[in-house]
Amino acid sequence: MKSALIVVDVQNDFCEGGSLPVTGGAQVACDIATLLRDGSAYDHVVATKDHHVDPGDHWSKQPDFVDSWPVHCRVGTEGEAFHPNLDPQPFDAIFLKGEHQAAYSGFEGAHEGQPLADWLRAHEVTRVDICGLATDHCVRATALDAAREGFETAVLLDLCAGVAPETTEAALSAMREAGVTLAGD
């Protein structure tokens, strides 16, 4: 029984100063880096990244902030890069998601063509802890998919930040109902 930490979308565009900033994003990056620097108890550490080339209606000049968003995490831009506070970056694999469509869950991503669930199973992972940005969007979607895929799943709330209190509370409720452990709740 092996464990993995999944670091979700700690990218410049999702931190203060980015095109879709989450208040506290830079601090989350710093806190995750501290965990990684101090040596974690995980067998594997992986990360996900929004990685958009042309995601169609996911980007909009007049976004509704539900299904459409301002341009973010465009491949080849500084916005797509991991936030500099996330140092070190000792990732065993980075799962890219959303090249040509919306993608919220890390389980929609792939590393060298291998989906996240398959990679975790190939590395005998049965338990995952999830942290990153944003609690009410990509962290929620990744946690729900991890539980659906049969992984024992926990979200490390002290290492996450949400966009808005209402949507964050709804996400926490959905995760609880799905059997996800909320550490720090």
Side-chain angles (χ1 to χ4, degrees):
M1 297 218 271
K2 293 185 178 179
S3 65
L5 178 67
I6 303 174
V7 178
V8 176
D9 298 1
V10 183
Q11 296 168 260
N12 287 325
D13 271 346
F14 297 136
C15 294
E16 294 86 349
S19 64
L20 271 174
V22 177
T23 300
Q27 186 61 53
V28 164
C30 185
D31 294 344
I32 293 170
T34 298
L35 171 71
L36 298 175
R37 196 171 28 256
D38 291 348
S40 71
Y42 298 98
D43 297 296
H44 298 284
V45 179
V46 300
T48 69
K49 284 178 88 175
D50 251 22
H51 185 77
H52 297 311
V53 174
D54 179 10
D57 293 342
H58 184 60
W59 282 347
S60 174
K61 290 181 181 179
Q62 297 169 331
D64 63 16
F65 297 95
V66 175
D67 297 311
S68 62
W69 308 89
V71 173
H72 62 278
C73 300
R74 183 191 302 265
V75 172
T77 67
E78 227 6 75
E80 186 211 13
F82 287 120
H83 191 277
N85 288 358
L86 185 62
D87 182 29
Q89 298 171 11
F91 304 127
D92 296 311
I94 298 170
F95 293 83
L96 305 177
K97 59 188 177 66
E99 281 189 0
H100 298 285
Q101 69 279 332
Y104 296 92
S105 171
F107 286 84
E108 296 176 79
H111 171 74
E112 297 177 353
Q114 187 174 37
L116 177 55
D118 294 348
W119 190 96
L120 292 169
R121 288 189 184 100
H123 289 83
E124 301 175 351
V125 171
T126 58
R127 183 178 64 80
V128 297
D129 286 353
I130 299 169
C131 61
L133 304 172
T135 309
D136 39 352
H137 295 285
C138 296
V139 168
R140 175 193 54 80
T142 301
L144 293 175
D145 280 353
R148 193 174 300 115
E149 288 284 345
F151 296 99
E152 181 183 333
T153 305
V155 172
L156 307 178
L157 295 177
D158 292 344
L159 299 176
C160 296
V163 173
E166 304 80 27
T167 52
T168 298
E169 190 51 49
L172 296 176
S173 293
M175 290 186 282
R176 274 188 213 99
E177 289 173 20
V180 173
T181 300
L182 301 177
D185 189 19

